[in-house]
Amino acid sequence: MDESTQPQHRRRPRYPGKNPRLFEHKYKELDPARHPETVAKVLASGKTPAGSHVPIMVGEVLDVLQPRPGEFSVDCTLGHGGHALAILPRIAPDGHLLGLDVDPLELPRTEQILLQAGFRPEQLTMMKSNFAGLPAAMAKLGRTGADVIIADLGVSSKQLDNPDRGFSTKADGPLDMRMNPSRGLSAAQWLEKVSPDKLARVLSENSDEPHAPRISSALSGRSFTTTAEFAAAIESALSSFPSEERELSIRRVFQAIRIEVNEEFTALDTLLRVLPQSLNPGGRVAILTFHSGEDRRVKKSFQAAHREGLYREISRRVLRAGSEERHANPRSTSAKLRWAIR
Ligand SMILES: C[S@@+](CC[C@H](N)C(=O)[O-])C[C@H]1O[C@@H](n2cnc3c(N)ncnc32)[C@H](O)[C@@H]1O
C-alpha cells in the first residue's frame, strides 16, 4: 500500500487527570465501529449504549396499528426513524409515510438513515414540523386523513445523551433543553425569568416533584450556564435529603423544565384534539407516553372522543413493554401504549 493511502495511526487521546471528563471520551459506545466490544458489553448489562436510540414496543405498536400495503401513515415523532423503519415495509410498495419532527439537527441524519435503508422518496416525506400542526402538514401532501398514526412522545436517546443539547444530567453541557434550538427560550434563559411561584407550579404539575417549593425558592431567577451547575444547585437545595432522593429530584426537575421550554403539553393537547378528524374511517392511532402527565391526557382525550362517537374503539387498558424488552432497554420501563380506532 502506498504510504499516502495508509490509514493514519491515531494515538489514544490523553486526558488531563485520572478520568476522561468529556462525554465523547467517556462513552466509547458513541463510536460503535471502533468499539464493538464496549457496545456488546453495555447491551449485555441491560443498558442502552449512550447516543443510540432503540425504538420502544415496536411489536406492540405494529399489532395495534396493523399497517397494510398502500396505506398512508404518519409518524408524528420521527426521531431516529425506529418506528418508521418498522412501518415502511408493511405499507410498501405503494404506501406513503409522512414523518414529522421539530428537531432540525437530528432530522437530516434520520433522512440519511431511511434513504440508506433503501426507501425511495415516493414512499417517504420528512418534514420539520410540530405535530400540533398535523392537519396542515398532511395538507401539504394533499391529504386530509391517515390510515395509521404513531406518536412516541418526549425526546429520543440521541437528544438526551448528547450533552451539547443540554438535556443531560449525566454529562456537562450548555443548559438548553430545546428540541428546536432556534425557537423559544433555552432552559437557562427561562430559569432566569421565572418567578418562584411559577417554577414551583411547573415542577409539581409537570413532574409531581415533592420538593417543588424548596427547589423553586432556591433556584428561580438565578443564572445557570451548564447542566452540571444546575444539577449541583438542585443537589445543594436538597442537601438534607438522602442521595437517591436528590438524584430522583434532579431527574424530575430536568424533565419538568424540558416539558415547559418545549411546550410539550400544549402540543400534545392540540394533537389529541385534531386526531379524530386526521384519521380516515377505520384509521388507527397509537401513542407511547413516558410519564403520568402525558398518559393522563391521552387516556382522558381517547375516552371523551369515544363517548362522543369520534372513535369506534379505544384501548381499555394500557399496554406495557414485556420483561425481556424492559431488561434489554431500561428506557422502555416507563412506556405506556394506548390506541384508538376511528
Ligand atoms: C422518543 S423520540 C421518537 C423516537 C422514534 N419513534 C424512533 O423510534 O426513532 C421523540 C421525537 O419526537 C420529537 N418531538 C417531540 N415533540 C414533538 C412535537 N411536538 N412535534 C414534532 N416532533 C416532536 C423529538 O424531537 C424526538 O425526535
Side-chain angles (χ1 to χ4, degrees), residues 53-56 75-83 100-103 129-132 152-156 159 179 267 290:
H53 183 86
V54 181
I56 308 266
D75 186 339
C76 292
T77 51
L78 189 62
H80 204 43
H83 290 101
L100 308 179
D101 206 297
V102 279
D103 187 335
S129 165
N130 194 302
F131 56 55
D152 172 17
L153 301 179
V155 280
S156 72
Q159 294 165 319
M179 296 181 205
F290 293 86

mmCIF file of all heavy atoms in Angstrom, residues 53-56 75-83 100-103 129-132 152-156 159 179 267 290, ligand 1:
data_model
loop_
_atom_site.group_PDB
_atom_site.id
_atom_site.type_symbol
_atom_site.label_atom_id
_atom_site.label_comp_id
_atom_site.label_asym_id
_atom_site.label_seq_id
_atom_site.Cartn_x
_atom_site.Cartn_y
_atom_site.Cartn_z
ATOM 1 N N HIS A 53 -30.444 5.141 19.874
ATOM 2 C CA HIS A 53 -31.856 5.123 20.219
ATOM 3 C C HIS A 53 -32.460 3.790 19.803
ATOM 4 O O HIS A 53 -32.437 3.427 18.632
ATOM 5 C CB HIS A 53 -32.615 6.272 19.559
ATOM 6 C CG HIS A 53 -34.051 6.296 19.976
ATOM 7 N ND1 HIS A 53 -34.468 6.933 21.122
ATOM 8 C CD2 HIS A 53 -35.136 5.710 19.442
ATOM 9 C CE1 HIS A 53 -35.773 6.738 21.263
ATOM 10 N NE2 HIS A 53 -36.198 6.004 20.250
ATOM 11 N N VAL A 54 -32.994 3.056 20.781
ATOM 12 C CA VAL A 54 -33.640 1.775 20.479
ATOM 13 C C VAL A 54 -35.145 2.021 20.504
ATOM 14 O O VAL A 54 -35.673 2.463 21.530
ATOM 15 C CB VAL A 54 -33.243 0.711 21.542
ATOM 16 C CG1 VAL A 54 -33.886 -0.625 21.230
ATOM 17 C CG2 VAL A 54 -31.732 0.581 21.635
ATOM 18 N N PRO A 55 -35.852 1.756 19.376
ATOM 19 C CA PRO A 55 -37.298 2.041 19.374
ATOM 20 C C PRO A 55 -38.029 1.166 20.388
ATOM 21 O O PRO A 55 -37.662 0.022 20.629
ATOM 22 C CB PRO A 55 -37.726 1.724 17.943
ATOM 23 C CG PRO A 55 -36.648 0.887 17.365
ATOM 24 C CD PRO A 55 -35.384 1.205 18.107
ATOM 25 N N ILE A 56 -39.095 1.743 20.950
ATOM 26 C CA ILE A 56 -39.795 1.116 22.081
ATOM 27 C C ILE A 56 -41.052 0.392 21.602
ATOM 28 O O ILE A 56 -41.813 0.927 20.790
ATOM 29 C CB ILE A 56 -40.205 2.210 23.096
ATOM 30 C CG1 ILE A 56 -39.011 3.091 23.469
ATOM 31 C CG2 ILE A 56 -40.923 1.636 24.305
ATOM 32 C CD1 ILE A 56 -38.238 2.740 24.664
ATOM 33 N N ASP A 75 -45.845 9.338 11.032
ATOM 34 C CA ASP A 75 -45.076 9.214 12.262
ATOM 35 C C ASP A 75 -44.893 10.642 12.770
ATOM 36 O O ASP A 75 -44.135 11.425 12.189
ATOM 37 C CB ASP A 75 -43.718 8.533 11.992
ATOM 38 C CG ASP A 75 -42.971 8.264 13.295
ATOM 39 O OD1 ASP A 75 -43.295 8.932 14.295
ATOM 40 O OD2 ASP A 75 -42.077 7.402 13.305
ATOM 41 N N CYS A 76 -45.628 10.968 13.847
ATOM 42 C CA CYS A 76 -45.629 12.360 14.364
ATOM 43 C C CYS A 76 -44.322 12.707 15.049
ATOM 44 O O CYS A 76 -44.039 13.881 15.285
ATOM 45 C CB CYS A 76 -46.751 12.523 15.388
ATOM 46 S SG CYS A 76 -48.368 12.425 14.670
ATOM 47 N N THR A 77 -43.543 11.703 15.427
ATOM 48 C CA THR A 77 -42.304 11.916 16.187
ATOM 49 C C THR A 77 -41.224 11.028 15.568
ATOM 50 O O THR A 77 -40.833 10.017 16.156
ATOM 51 C CB THR A 77 -42.534 11.521 17.661
ATOM 52 O OG1 THR A 77 -43.116 10.208 17.671
ATOM 53 C CG2 THR A 77 -43.451 12.481 18.393
ATOM 54 N N LEU A 78 -40.750 11.425 14.423
ATOM 55 C CA LEU A 78 -39.874 10.564 13.623
ATOM 56 C C LEU A 78 -38.619 10.138 14.380
ATOM 57 O O LEU A 78 -38.182 8.981 14.271
ATOM 58 C CB LEU A 78 -39.493 11.308 12.335
ATOM 59 C CG LEU A 78 -38.768 10.498 11.281
ATOM 60 C CD1 LEU A 78 -39.628 9.352 10.781
ATOM 61 C CD2 LEU A 78 -38.368 11.397 10.123
ATOM 62 N N GLY A 79 -38.030 11.057 15.155
ATOM 63 C CA GLY A 79 -36.852 10.735 15.965
ATOM 64 C C GLY A 79 -35.758 10.130 15.132
ATOM 65 O O GLY A 79 -35.326 10.694 14.115
ATOM 66 N N HIS A 80 -35.324 8.918 15.521
ATOM 67 C CA HIS A 80 -34.237 8.249 14.829
ATOM 68 C C HIS A 80 -34.784 7.309 13.743
ATOM 69 O O HIS A 80 -34.028 6.520 13.169
ATOM 70 C CB HIS A 80 -33.438 7.469 15.875
ATOM 71 C CG HIS A 80 -32.037 7.200 15.481
ATOM 72 N ND1 HIS A 80 -31.229 8.135 14.892
ATOM 73 C CD2 HIS A 80 -31.285 6.075 15.583
ATOM 74 C CE1 HIS A 80 -30.047 7.597 14.645
ATOM 75 N NE2 HIS A 80 -30.053 6.356 15.050
ATOM 76 N N GLY A 81 -36.097 7.361 13.518
ATOM 77 C CA GLY A 81 -36.700 6.559 12.446
ATOM 78 C C GLY A 81 -36.991 5.121 12.835
ATOM 79 O O GLY A 81 -37.337 4.302 11.979
ATOM 80 N N GLY A 82 -36.904 4.795 14.124
ATOM 81 C CA GLY A 82 -37.095 3.404 14.571
ATOM 82 C C GLY A 82 -38.468 2.846 14.220
ATOM 83 O O GLY A 82 -38.582 1.774 13.617
ATOM 84 N N HIS A 83 -39.537 3.572 14.579
ATOM 85 C CA HIS A 83 -40.882 3.068 14.273
ATOM 86 C C HIS A 83 -41.170 3.183 12.781
ATOM 87 O O HIS A 83 -41.819 2.306 12.202
ATOM 88 C CB HIS A 83 -41.928 3.807 15.111
ATOM 89 C CG HIS A 83 -41.851 3.445 16.572
ATOM 90 N ND1 HIS A 83 -41.240 4.253 17.504
ATOM 91 C CD2 HIS A 83 -42.259 2.338 17.234
ATOM 92 C CE1 HIS A 83 -41.287 3.658 18.691
ATOM 93 N NE2 HIS A 83 -41.910 2.493 18.551
ATOM 94 N N LEU A 100 -42.782 13.478 10.862
ATOM 95 C CA LEU A 100 -42.643 14.848 11.377
ATOM 96 C C LEU A 100 -41.666 14.860 12.547
ATOM 97 O O LEU A 100 -41.620 13.903 13.327
ATOM 98 C CB LEU A 100 -43.988 15.369 11.899
ATOM 99 C CG LEU A 100 -45.198 15.273 10.982
ATOM 100 C CD1 LEU A 100 -46.430 15.821 11.711
ATOM 101 C CD2 LEU A 100 -44.956 16.047 9.690
ATOM 102 N N ASP A 101 -40.914 15.922 12.676
ATOM 103 C CA ASP A 101 -40.116 16.132 13.884
ATOM 104 C C ASP A 101 -39.768 17.618 13.970
ATOM 105 O O ASP A 101 -39.572 18.267 12.948
ATOM 106 C CB ASP A 101 -38.834 15.297 13.883
ATOM 107 C CG ASP A 101 -38.348 15.003 15.309
ATOM 108 O OD1 ASP A 101 -38.008 15.958 16.037
ATOM 109 O OD2 ASP A 101 -38.343 13.815 15.701
ATOM 110 N N VAL A 102 -39.696 18.122 15.214
ATOM 111 C CA VAL A 102 -39.342 19.537 15.400
ATOM 112 C C VAL A 102 -37.835 19.763 15.400
ATOM 113 O O VAL A 102 -37.387 20.890 15.360
ATOM 114 C CB VAL A 102 -39.879 20.109 16.742
ATOM 115 C CG1 VAL A 102 -41.315 20.492 16.639
ATOM 116 C CG2 VAL A 102 -39.623 19.159 17.888
ATOM 117 N N ASP A 103 -37.067 18.681 15.470
ATOM 118 C CA ASP A 103 -35.623 18.814 15.686
ATOM 119 C C ASP A 103 -34.861 18.996 14.365
ATOM 120 O O ASP A 103 -34.696 18.047 13.600
ATOM 121 C CB ASP A 103 -35.124 17.563 16.419
ATOM 122 C CG ASP A 103 -33.669 17.693 16.832
ATOM 123 O OD1 ASP A 103 -32.925 18.470 16.183
ATOM 124 O OD2 ASP A 103 -33.272 17.032 17.796
ATOM 125 N N SER A 129 -41.678 19.811 11.430
ATOM 126 C CA SER A 129 -42.973 20.378 11.832
ATOM 127 C C SER A 129 -43.338 19.885 13.218
ATOM 128 O O SER A 129 -43.015 18.756 13.595
ATOM 129 C CB SER A 129 -44.048 19.933 10.834
ATOM 130 O OG SER A 129 -45.337 20.153 11.360
ATOM 131 N N ASN A 130 -44.014 20.734 13.957
ATOM 132 C CA ASN A 130 -44.576 20.311 15.233
ATOM 133 C C ASN A 130 -45.802 19.455 14.924
ATOM 134 O O ASN A 130 -46.577 19.790 14.020
ATOM 135 C CB ASN A 130 -44.983 21.548 16.037
ATOM 136 C CG ASN A 130 -45.249 21.209 17.489
ATOM 137 O OD1 ASN A 130 -46.089 20.378 17.800
ATOM 138 N ND2 ASN A 130 -44.511 21.843 18.373
ATOM 139 N N PHE A 131 -46.021 18.387 15.706
ATOM 140 C CA PHE A 131 -47.189 17.547 15.409
ATOM 141 C C PHE A 131 -48.498 18.258 15.730
ATOM 142 O O PHE A 131 -49.569 17.808 15.325
ATOM 143 C CB PHE A 131 -47.090 16.163 16.045
ATOM 144 C CG PHE A 131 -46.878 16.093 17.539
ATOM 145 C CD1 PHE A 131 -47.720 16.730 18.428
ATOM 146 C CD2 PHE A 131 -45.837 15.318 18.060
ATOM 147 C CE1 PHE A 131 -47.536 16.633 19.800
ATOM 148 C CE2 PHE A 131 -45.627 15.217 19.428
ATOM 149 C CZ PHE A 131 -46.479 15.874 20.307
ATOM 150 N N ALA A 132 -48.423 19.397 16.452
ATOM 151 C CA ALA A 132 -49.643 20.188 16.673
ATOM 152 C C ALA A 132 -50.193 20.676 15.333
ATOM 153 O O ALA A 132 -51.378 20.948 15.199
ATOM 154 C CB ALA A 132 -49.336 21.372 17.586
ATOM 155 N N ASP A 152 -44.649 8.878 19.492
ATOM 156 C CA ASP A 152 -43.788 8.296 20.530
ATOM 157 C C ASP A 152 -43.187 9.509 21.242
ATOM 158 O O ASP A 152 -42.224 10.100 20.761
ATOM 159 C CB ASP A 152 -42.734 7.435 19.791
ATOM 160 C CG ASP A 152 -41.634 6.907 20.679
ATOM 161 O OD1 ASP A 152 -41.801 6.914 21.898
ATOM 162 O OD2 ASP A 152 -40.607 6.468 20.124
ATOM 163 N N LEU A 153 -43.824 9.885 22.369
ATOM 164 C CA LEU A 153 -43.605 11.234 22.910
ATOM 165 C C LEU A 153 -42.248 11.437 23.594
ATOM 166 O O LEU A 153 -41.544 10.481 23.909
ATOM 167 C CB LEU A 153 -44.732 11.561 23.889
ATOM 168 C CG LEU A 153 -46.145 11.520 23.282
ATOM 169 C CD1 LEU A 153 -47.188 11.826 24.352
ATOM 170 C CD2 LEU A 153 -46.289 12.515 22.124
ATOM 171 N N GLY A 154 -41.932 12.716 23.820
ATOM 172 C CA GLY A 154 -40.724 13.068 24.569
ATOM 173 C C GLY A 154 -39.517 13.247 23.681
ATOM 174 O O GLY A 154 -39.638 13.611 22.512
ATOM 175 N N VAL A 155 -38.336 12.988 24.261
ATOM 176 C CA VAL A 155 -37.097 13.153 23.494
ATOM 177 C C VAL A 155 -36.486 11.784 23.213
ATOM 178 O O VAL A 155 -36.754 10.818 23.922
ATOM 179 C CB VAL A 155 -36.055 14.022 24.247
ATOM 180 C CG1 VAL A 155 -36.359 15.496 24.097
ATOM 181 C CG2 VAL A 155 -35.942 13.643 25.698
ATOM 182 N N SER A 156 -35.655 11.723 22.169
ATOM 183 C CA SER A 156 -35.001 10.447 21.844
ATOM 184 C C SER A 156 -33.716 10.328 22.660
ATOM 185 O O SER A 156 -33.207 11.313 23.201
ATOM 186 C CB SER A 156 -34.648 10.415 20.359
ATOM 187 O OG SER A 156 -33.579 11.297 20.088
ATOM 188 N N GLN A 159 -31.014 12.651 21.510
ATOM 189 C CA GLN A 159 -31.073 14.024 22.032
ATOM 190 C C GLN A 159 -30.648 14.047 23.506
ATOM 191 O O GLN A 159 -29.824 14.868 23.909
ATOM 192 C CB GLN A 159 -32.497 14.572 21.908
ATOM 193 C CG GLN A 159 -32.959 14.742 20.478
ATOM 194 C CD GLN A 159 -34.470 14.929 20.380
ATOM 195 O OE1 GLN A 159 -35.247 14.264 21.068
ATOM 196 N NE2 GLN A 159 -34.901 15.822 19.511
ATOM 197 N N MET A 179 -35.813 21.136 21.844
ATOM 198 C CA MET A 179 -35.761 20.174 20.735
ATOM 199 C C MET A 179 -35.448 20.927 19.442
ATOM 200 O O MET A 179 -34.802 20.401 18.561
ATOM 201 C CB MET A 179 -37.096 19.448 20.591
ATOM 202 C CG MET A 179 -37.432 18.599 21.792
ATOM 203 S SD MET A 179 -38.996 17.764 21.500
ATOM 204 C CE MET A 179 -39.542 17.490 23.170
ATOM 205 N N ALA A 267 -48.614 21.164 22.884
ATOM 206 C CA ALA A 267 -48.556 20.459 21.595
ATOM 207 C C ALA A 267 -49.365 19.157 21.662
ATOM 208 O O ALA A 267 -50.130 18.843 20.743
ATOM 209 C CB ALA A 267 -47.104 20.160 21.223
ATOM 210 N N PHE A 290 -44.497 8.541 28.445
ATOM 211 C CA PHE A 290 -43.406 8.158 29.352
ATOM 212 C C PHE A 290 -43.551 8.709 30.768
ATOM 213 O O PHE A 290 -42.680 8.493 31.594
ATOM 214 C CB PHE A 290 -42.051 8.556 28.745
ATOM 215 C CG PHE A 290 -41.770 7.732 27.521
ATOM 216 C CD1 PHE A 290 -42.255 8.124 26.287
ATOM 217 C CD2 PHE A 290 -41.110 6.524 27.626
ATOM 218 C CE1 PHE A 290 -42.062 7.337 25.164
ATOM 219 C CE2 PHE A 290 -40.906 5.725 26.512
ATOM 220 C CZ PHE A 290 -41.384 6.135 25.276
HETATM 221 C C1 LIG B 1 -38.991 9.407 21.628
HETATM 222 S S1 LIG B 1 -38.418 10.218 20.194
HETATM 223 C C2 LIG B 1 -39.071 9.277 18.880
HETATM 224 C C3 LIG B 1 -38.241 8.114 18.510
HETATM 225 C C4 LIG B 1 -38.707 7.356 17.290
HETATM 226 N N1 LIG B 1 -40.020 6.799 17.461
HETATM 227 C C5 LIG B 1 -37.722 6.255 16.971
HETATM 228 O O1 LIG B 1 -38.028 5.103 17.235
HETATM 229 O O2 LIG B 1 -36.635 6.567 16.481
HETATM 230 C C6 LIG B 1 -39.392 11.633 20.128
HETATM 231 C C7 LIG B 1 -39.091 12.551 18.956
HETATM 232 O O3 LIG B 1 -40.195 13.413 18.788
HETATM 233 C C8 LIG B 1 -39.765 14.718 18.559
HETATM 234 N N2 LIG B 1 -40.840 15.568 19.090
HETATM 235 C C9 LIG B 1 -41.181 15.788 20.375
HETATM 236 N N3 LIG B 1 -42.230 16.609 20.457
HETATM 237 C C10 LIG B 1 -42.586 16.911 19.181
HETATM 238 C C11 LIG B 1 -43.615 17.713 18.598
HETATM 239 N N4 LIG B 1 -44.484 18.386 19.359
HETATM 240 N N5 LIG B 1 -43.703 17.753 17.260
HETATM 241 C C12 LIG B 1 -42.828 17.071 16.458
HETATM 242 N N6 LIG B 1 -41.812 16.324 16.964
HETATM 243 C C13 LIG B 1 -41.707 16.240 18.302
HETATM 244 C C14 LIG B 1 -38.454 14.847 19.287
HETATM 245 O O4 LIG B 1 -37.657 15.844 18.693
HETATM 246 C C15 LIG B 1 -37.869 13.435 19.117
HETATM 247 O O5 LIG B 1 -37.068 13.366 17.996
#
